[in-house]
């Protein structure tokens, strides 16, 4: 199985900050990498698919990049509604494993 | 509007069985692959199993292989997860999810159904 490692585990940031979350795959997954946002009590929400494609309706301050084994999710200017937990997921092969999550908290 | 509604969760004893269902609406069901994803409250996400639009199984997580079976009924716009030989570690919120496209991402999620395995 492909192991997905996210970092950091958590971070504290202020509104307006630029935030970067990284995700590393244990083997190459080409661009089969997706990012989700989850808020407490809610189901996850798709942000980015295939490494860099913004899902319809997601604000442009979210960008994804990377290929192979190393990927990043960047929030260019953190907004109050962005405080949440973020998960990466590989869909290169099954089982379609998730990263452990990164919790973005208010500083 | 895409809607996914899970049902069938509950409390079951270790070794018992449970069948989860997911009713889908708002899209052409057999055009899409579907997945089950679970989450222990407050913890991370675990992909459990997936199935393509025609009913071909995509695979299972190692943790459930041989115990869980995914299936679908396209005539009834329904997805199922048969869970046998349940263990305490299967306790989680189980989400029904739609695979959005060729690259396997999940673009819609249900609200989940809670499974608790406890004696």
């Amino acid at each position: 199985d492909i192991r997905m490692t996210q970092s950091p585990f958590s971070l504290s940031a202020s509104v307006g900050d630029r935030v970067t979350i990284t995700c590393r795959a244990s083997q190459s997954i080409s661009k089969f990498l997706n990012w989700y946002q989850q808020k407490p009590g809610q189901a996850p929400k798709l942000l980015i698919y295939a490494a860099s494609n913004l899902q319809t309706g997601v604000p442009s301050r979210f960008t994804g990049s990377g290929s192979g084994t190393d990927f990043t999710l960047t929030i260019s200017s953190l907004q109050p509604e962005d405080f949440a937990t973020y998960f990466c997921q590989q869909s290169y092969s099954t089982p379609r494993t998730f990263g452990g999550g990164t919790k973005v908290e208010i500083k | 509007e895409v809607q996914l509604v899970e049902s069938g969760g509950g409390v079951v004893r270790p070794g018992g069985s449970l069948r989860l269902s997911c009713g889908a609406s708002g899209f052409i069901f057999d055009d899409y692959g579907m997945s089950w994803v679970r989450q222990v409250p407050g913890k991370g996400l675990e992909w459990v199993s997936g199935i393509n639009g025609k009913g071909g199984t995509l695979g299972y997580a190692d943790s459930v292989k041989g115990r869980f079976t995914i299936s679908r009924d396209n005539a009834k716009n329904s997805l199922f997860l048969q869970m046998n030989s349940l263990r305490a570690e299967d306790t989680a919120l189980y989400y029904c999810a739609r695979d959005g496209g060729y690259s396997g991402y999940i673009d819609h999620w249900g609200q989940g159904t809670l499974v608790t395995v406890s004696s």
Side-chain angles (χ1 to χ4, degrees):
Chain A
D1 298 358
I2 298 173
R3 185 173 64 255
M4 306 302 294
T5 304
Q6 271 184 251
S7 61
F9 174 76
S10 66
L11 64 90
S12 295
S14 301
V15 172
D17 284 354
R18 181 183 182 90
V19 169
T20 298
I21 299 168
T22 66
C23 183
R24 175 164 289 176
S26 60
Q27 66 184 73
S28 177
I29 57 171
S30 184
K31 290 197 166 192
F32 289 86
L33 190 283
N34 314 303
W35 290 98
Y36 303 88
Q37 175 194 67
Q38 187 179 33
K39 298 180 180 179
Q42 296 183 16
K45 170 189 171 184
L46 177 67
L47 298 176
I48 302 283
Y49 63 93
S52 60
N53 294 275
L54 193 67
Q55 171 68 347
T56 301
V58 174
S60 58
R61 62 181 179 273
F62 291 93
T63 58
S65 64
S67 65
T69 60
D70 294 312
F71 301 86
T72 60
L73 172 70
T74 300
I75 309 172
S76 60
S77 177
L78 199 65
Q79 297 302 300
E81 59 269 30
D82 301 337
F83 292 95
T85 301
Y86 295 84
F87 294 93
C88 64
Q89 181 210 22
Q90 65 82 17
S91 50
Y92 179 81
S93 66
T94 58
R96 293 177 178 164
T97 41
F98 288 87
T102 295
K103 187 173 183 179
V104 176
E105 298 175 302
I106 301 173
K107 182 184 281 185
Chain B
E1 178 193 4
V2 172
Q3 286 201 320
L4 301 170
V5 180
E6 303 94 336
S7 60
V11 180
V12 61
R13 294 188 184 278
S17 298
L18 215 52
R19 189 190 195 211
L20 305 184
S21 301
C22 172
S25 61
F27 64 102
I28 300 172
F29 187 63
D30 50 5
D31 277 354
Y32 291 86
M34 301 291 293
S35 296
W36 287 101
V37 176
R38 69 184 181 183
Q39 184 174 38
V40 175
K43 302 296 184 183
L45 299 166
E46 181 182 21
W47 183 89
V48 173
S49 184
I51 190 168
N52 65 26
K54 296 187 187 306
T57 301
L58 299 179
Y60 296 90
D62 289 346
S63 57
V64 308
K65 204 173 292 183
R67 301 187 298 123
F68 289 12
T69 302
I70 192 170
S71 63
R72 64 190 295 160
D73 183 340
N74 286 346
K76 296 183 177 179
N77 288 355
S78 296
L79 175 72
F80 306 102
L81 186 68
Q82 178 66 43
M83 305 186 296
N84 298 331
S85 302
L86 283 161
R87 306 167 179 167
E89 54 265 36
D90 295 318
T91 294
L93 186 65
Y94 285 72
Y95 291 105
C96 167
R98 189 183 85 166
D99 293 350
Y102 72 95
S103 65
Y105 57 88
I106 293 173
D107 68 348
H108 285 89
W109 301 69
Q111 285 305 302
T113 187
L114 184 62
V115 171
T116 303
V117 184
S118 174
S119 54

